[in-house]
Amino acid sequence: MRVRIDPRGFEFDAAPGQTLLRAADAAGIELPSSCRNGTCRTCICRLRAGQVRHTVDWPGLSAEEKVEGWILPCVAEPLSDVVLEVPAAFSAFGG
């Protein structure tokens, strides 16, 4: 699946079964994160396009946040190409 991070325009691929956070890490893209298990909410961001599946039944999101498009990339796997809004993202390669 193809992942785009806006507003910076970073793009990378996520392998089947790979969380968005791990895919970003593998591509040298740093997203805010801490716990990596869906509880701390450090990585919370908006899903602007596409579909994801959370790998845990209890991600740290309210029902309202889910409806509004908020996801936790540390425990979210893409089900399609996706666009995420992550203003604090940066490239480990300086881009």
Side-chain angles (χ1 to χ4, degrees):
M1 308 292 164
R2 196 74 179 150
V3 180
R4 179 178 170 92
I5 305 293
D6 282 342
R8 301 290 304 274
F10 301 132
E11 292 192 21
F12 54 91
D13 291 319
Q18 187 178 40
T19 67
L20 293 165
L21 183 61
R22 287 185 188 262
D25 285 347
I29 306 301
E30 298 291 329
L31 304 181
S33 66
S34 183
C35 74
R36 296 180 176 251
N37 66 21
T39 57
C40 77
R41 299 172 49 98
T42 300
C43 67
I44 193 170
C45 68
R46 269 240 160 94
L47 177 67
R48 290 296 184 193
Q51 295 180 335
V52 300
R53 176 187 77 82
H54 284 100
T55 60
V56 294
D57 293 332
W58 43 262
L61 297 169
S62 69
E64 293 82 15
E65 288 171 326
K66 289 179 184 178
V67 168
E68 292 171 358
W70 294 98
I71 66 164
L72 298 174
C74 70
V75 291
E77 297 174 352
L79 299 176
S80 67
D81 291 346
V82 297
V83 177
L84 305 178
E85 183 178 323
V86 189
F90 67 93
S91 171
F93 304 112

